[in-house]
């Protein structure tokens, strides 16, 4: 049931066969879901009596079950996929052509890459590339780059980065001392670093409790940011989460763009050691927000309504941030979290400090360690996962049993009572291609008289979600095109039909090539999105 202003929860499937440790939405409106391969049989069989024969698997060498599935949003159905090597705690990114490139993992998978090319039938499956990475990449972070390659940053015991796909010649691994500097001995607190592409082409990299701006092409630290006040860790296993806040003013040069990062939650210093000793410390209830493009950037600390560790942060089409999943005590790791954080929070970045957080309607399903959440094209948020055990454990009475369900959280902009307020895109059609720095006209319908100044157009890059971080998550508010000399970029076409004119992103640094979800937003109400490919 929905609470006023609080959103609504719906169970989609009670058993998808495997737990959703990793999720990625593709431009076919299908979601690829992965779990580790070395815990034994899953709850869904491979098709056609196929089996995986892997002598290097540490638990089950001949395995006839699937550890990856494809979820079809439109039919609410699951299809098993065959992933061969272990993707446990791996990373990935959607590529410019819409395929999913997935890298690293554990044991036999730690030097591998995998490619999933989506299709509209049931013929597509994982392709595996053995030993193509220079270093073992386990608990690393990937980010798509302007040239269409991925950068892979860090991983357990790896204070370096590399690129994939590889270029011919000396495309190896490159040291990144910042990762060794942020490594807490025997605890780490710098795995799955938060990585964002800045509008100047450099990478913002946050690990533990601090960040740098990094020129990855020349291997140089461009800027060192101050430590988050308090100095508590916010990277795995003291897992907070982070987003790049919506990018605006994207025309007229990147000097006009104010880029901000928001980091929320985490665990106080020493929490991981305490949790291993069965003392579960209350998580952090603070967020740090920093304008990374300022000449003298400083963190501004805000207080959440509740503490959270292992939470996910999802950029919604209207530019708000959903904070969901996780626990309010302990840390990431096997059975180290307590007190599930069942109540999501909406963060409104444009509101004044003190008025930005809004508590939402809670779920009854704990989403602890190894949970995920991603945005769907219709504006719902897909939520799944939760397995804090070394193996699947469904035993009655076990604390936080392995969860095979998927559900959706529908923010209040999807309240059926407000359906008439929600606009609808007429053209362009979904799957359209757009270029950089071009005029784009979008026709849409909206009931009644609208305030044209409250219309905006957003583009959202679908991220790869795992371990409380969504890699490549990016939202752009497109600049109004007032080239006609009109005071507004919205024109009435009669009978509730309108056209909004915007300018597409100026470059592949602002918006790396690939598929994005495009929305028209009226007030805070988004349309159903359409897929656009920018190239």
């Amino acid at each position: 049931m929905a609470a006023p202003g609080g959103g609504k929860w719906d169970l989609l499937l009670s058993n998808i066969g495997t737990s959703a440790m990793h999720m990625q939405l593709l431009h076919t409106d299908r979601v690829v879901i992965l779990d580790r391969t070395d815990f034994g049989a899953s709850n869904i069989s491979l098709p056609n009596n196929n089996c995986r024969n892997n002598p290097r698997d540490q638990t089950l060498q001949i395995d006839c079950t699937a550890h990856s599935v494809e979820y079809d949003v439109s039919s609410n159905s699951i299809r098993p996929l065959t992933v061969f090597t272990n993707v446990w705690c791996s990373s990935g990114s959607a590529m410019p052509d819409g395929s999913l490139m997935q890298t690293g993992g554990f044991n036999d998978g730690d030097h591998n890459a995998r490619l999933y090319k989506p299709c509209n039938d049931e013929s597509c499956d994982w392709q595996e590339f053995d030993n193509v990475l220079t270093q073992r990449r386990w608990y690393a972070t990937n980010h798509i780059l302007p040239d269409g390659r991925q950068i892979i940053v860090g991983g357990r015991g790896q204070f370096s980065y590399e690129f994939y796909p590889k270029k011919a010649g000396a495309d190896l691994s490159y040291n990144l001392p910042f990762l060794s500097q942020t490594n807490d001995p025997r605890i780490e607190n710098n795995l799955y670093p938060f990585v964002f592409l800045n509008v100047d082409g450099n990478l913002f990299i946050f690990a533990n409790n601090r960040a740098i701006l990094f020129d990855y092409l020349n291997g140089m630290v461009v800027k060192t940011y101050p430590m988050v006040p308090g100095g508590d860790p916010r990277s795995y296993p003291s897992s907070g989460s982070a987003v790049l806040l919506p990018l605006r003013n994207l025309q007229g040069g990147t000097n006009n763009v104010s880029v901000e990062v928001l980091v929320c939650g985490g665990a106080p210093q020493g929490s991981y050691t305490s949790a291993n000793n069965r003392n579960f410390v209350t998580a952090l209830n603070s967020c740090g927000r920093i304008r990374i493009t300022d000449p003298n950037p400083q963190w501004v600390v805000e207080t959440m309504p509740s503490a959270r560790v292992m939470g996910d942060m999802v950029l919604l089409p209207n530019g708000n941030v959903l904070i969901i999943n996780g626990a309010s005590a302990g840390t990431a790791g096997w059975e180290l979290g307590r007190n599930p954080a069942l109540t999501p929070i909406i963060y409104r970045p444009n509101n004044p400090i003190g008025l930005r957080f809004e508590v939402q309607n809670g779920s009854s399903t704990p989403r602890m360690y190894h949970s995920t959440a991603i945005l769907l094209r219709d504006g719902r948020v897909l939520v799944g996962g939760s397995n804090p055990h070394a193996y699947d454990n469904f035993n009655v009475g076990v604390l936080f049993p392995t969860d095979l369900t998927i559900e959706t959280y529908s923010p209040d902009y999807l309240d059926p009572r407000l359906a008439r307020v929600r606009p609808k895109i007429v053209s362009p059609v979904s799957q359209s291609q757009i270029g950089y720095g071009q005029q784009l006209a979008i026709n849409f319908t909206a009931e009644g008289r609208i305030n044209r100044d409250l219309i905006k157009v957003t583009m959202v890059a679908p991220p790869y979600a795992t371990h409380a971080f969504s890699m490549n998550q990016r939202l752009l508010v497109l600049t109004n095109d007032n080239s006609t000399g009109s005071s507004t970029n919205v024109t009435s076409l009669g009978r509730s039909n309108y056209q909004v004119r915007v300018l597409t992103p100026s470059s592949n640094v602002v918006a790396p090539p690939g598929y994005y979800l495009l929305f028209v937003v009226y007030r805070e109400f988004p349309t159903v999105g359409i897929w656009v490919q920018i190239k």
Side-chain angles (χ1 to χ4, degrees):
M1 297 295 291
K8 181 175 179 288
W9 290 88
D10 292 289
L11 177 67
L12 297 180
L13 293 172
S14 60
N15 184 350
I16 65 168
T18 193
S19 195
M21 184 187 293
H22 308 258
M23 288 203 294
Q24 169 79 54
L25 173 67
L26 301 175
H27 69 278
T28 52
D29 288 324
R30 300 185 185 193
V31 179
V32 174
I33 297 171
L34 299 119
D35 196 3
R36 57 188 290 199
T37 62
D38 65 346
F39 60 82
S42 74
N43 283 41
I44 183 170
S45 297
L46 288 169
N48 305 317
N49 295 315
N50 291 335
C51 295
R52 182 177 65 104
N53 188 343
N54 184 354
R56 295 185 62 194
D57 192 286
Q58 295 182 339
T59 304
L60 189 63
Q61 286 73 44
I62 299 178
D63 186 355
C64 304
T65 62
H67 301 278
S68 178
V69 298
E70 181 188 67
Y71 172 66
D72 187 331
V73 177
S74 61
S75 66
N76 191 37
S77 61
I78 286 291
R79 180 172 72 92
L81 302 176
T82 304
V83 63
F84 190 76
T85 58
N86 198 351
V87 296
W88 177 25
C89 300
S90 52
S91 48
S93 167
M95 298 296 282
D97 66 354
S99 60
L100 171 59
M101 183 66 74
Q102 214 270 345
T103 58
F106 181 66
N107 187 33
D108 59 331
D110 60 12
H111 281 72
N112 281 19
R114 304 160 200 90
L115 183 67
Y116 185 82
K117 291 186 176 181
C119 56
N120 291 314
D121 54 22
E122 296 190 352
S123 63
C124 41
D125 209 335
W126 285 104
Q127 304 171 50
E128 192 112 14
F129 305 95
D130 291 333
N131 296 313
V132 294
L133 302 182
T134 307
Q135 303 292 337
R136 172 198 199 205
R137 299 295 173 186
W138 190 31
Y139 296 89
T141 295
N142 292 24
H143 203 296
I144 192 77
L145 297 173
D147 67 1
R149 294 193 300 163
Q150 294 185 38
I151 188 170
I152 309 167
V153 180
R156 177 156 283 168
Q158 302 299 332
F159 309 131
S160 62
Y161 62 97
E162 62 182 287
F163 303 94
Y164 194 82
K166 300 294 185 186
K167 288 183 177 178
D171 192 350
L172 303 175
S173 178
Y174 307 91
N175 289 333
L176 183 54
F178 173 71
L179 293 178
S180 59
Q181 295 161 8
T182 52
N183 179 59
D184 289 344
R186 297 181 299 280
I187 299 172
E188 296 167 306
N189 277 336
N190 70 342
L191 301 181
Y192 280 123
F194 306 144
V195 179
F196 301 108
L197 179 66
N198 191 17
V199 294
D200 63 1
N202 296 314
L203 291 176
F204 176 89
I205 303 176
F206 181 102
N208 199 322
N209 54 17
R210 52 198 185 274
I212 57 172
L213 190 64
F214 186 65
D215 177 353
Y216 62 89
L217 292 174
N218 296 301
M220 294 175 53
V221 175
V222 177
K223 183 181 293 186
T224 299
Y225 295 94
M227 184 181 294
V228 179
D232 289 312
R234 297 172 185 268
S235 299
Y236 184 97
S238 299
S239 301
S241 190
V243 290
L244 186 74
L245 289 176
L247 298 174
R248 305 172 185 272
N249 304 317
L250 301 176
Q251 303 297 326
T254 56
N255 291 335
N256 298 325
V257 182
S258 176
V259 180
E260 293 185 275
V261 169
L262 180 71
V263 180
C264 288
Q269 194 72 251
S271 293
Y272 180 72
T273 302
S274 294
N276 275 284
N277 292 321
R278 320 320 287 168
N279 175 28
F280 303 99
V281 178
T282 300
L284 298 176
N285 67 349
S286 60
C287 295
R289 179 168 169 172
I290 190 168
R291 184 171 285 113
I292 69 174
T293 46
D294 270 7
N296 182 28
Q298 299 295 321
W299 291 96
V300 176
V301 176
E302 304 177 50
T303 302
M304 294 189 290
S306 56
R308 194 175 301 251
V309 63
M310 299 181 288
D312 286 282
M313 296 173 72
V314 180
L315 288 170
L316 300 177
N318 57 17
N320 292 336
V321 182
L322 176 69
I323 306 172
I324 195 168
N325 294 345
S328 57
T331 68
W334 301 132
E335 302 175 359
L336 298 183
R338 293 294 185 274
N339 305 337
L342 299 172
T343 305
I345 298 168
I346 293 285
Y347 177 84
R348 304 179 188 276
N350 295 331
N351 281 8
I353 290 181
L355 299 174
R356 290 176 174 163
F357 294 100
E358 181 182 280
V359 175
Q360 303 297 289
N361 191 31
S363 169
S364 59
T365 303
R367 299 289 180 185
M368 304 292 282
Y369 187 40
H370 292 147
S371 298
T372 44
I374 57 170
L375 177 70
L376 299 177
R377 184 167 63 90
D378 59 15
R380 294 177 298 163
V381 175
L382 180 66
V383 180
S386 190
N387 185 14
H389 312 288
Y391 297 91
D392 281 356
N393 191 334
F394 306 103
N395 293 332
V396 175
V398 71
L399 193 60
F400 313 125
T402 302
D403 194 291
L404 304 182
T405 67
I406 53 172
E407 58 186 335
T408 53
Y409 171 77
S410 297
D412 53 6
Y413 55 62
L414 292 174
D415 189 325
R417 295 171 295 183
L418 302 172
R420 63 179 299 275
V421 184
R422 202 174 179 201
K424 297 180 178 64
I425 293 176
V426 176
S427 68
V429 297
S430 198
Q431 308 294 336
S432 293
Q433 290 187 357
I434 61 176
Y436 291 102
Q438 297 180 348
Q439 296 176 342
L440 178 64
I442 304 162
N443 292 347
F444 66 97
T445 60
E447 291 190 25
R449 179 178 295 180
I450 65 171
N451 183 338
R452 301 182 194 182
D453 293 333
L454 298 180
I455 291 286
K456 63 184 177 184
V457 178
T458 61
M459 279 174 53
V460 183
Y464 183 93
T466 190
H467 288 79
F469 184 54
S470 288
M471 305 171 194
N472 305 290
Q473 188 170 214
R474 196 176 191 86
L475 187 149
L476 303 97
V477 181
L478 299 190
T479 303
N480 294 343
D481 176 16
N482 294 324
S483 58
T484 61
S486 170
S487 60
T488 177
N489 67 319
V490 180
T491 303
S492 174
L493 303 178
R495 292 192 176 183
S496 301
N497 288 276
Y498 298 88
Q499 183 179 87
V500 58
R501 299 176 306 278
V502 292
L503 299 173
T504 61
S506 57
S507 74
N508 57 4
V509 175
V510 173
Y515 283 88
Y516 289 73
L517 286 168
L518 184 142
F519 300 89
V520 173
V521 181
Y522 178 52
R523 298 184 186 270
E524 289 201 348
F525 296 88
T527 60
V528 172
I530 63 170
W531 287 104
V532 295
Q533 184 186 24
I534 191 164
K535 55 192 298 189

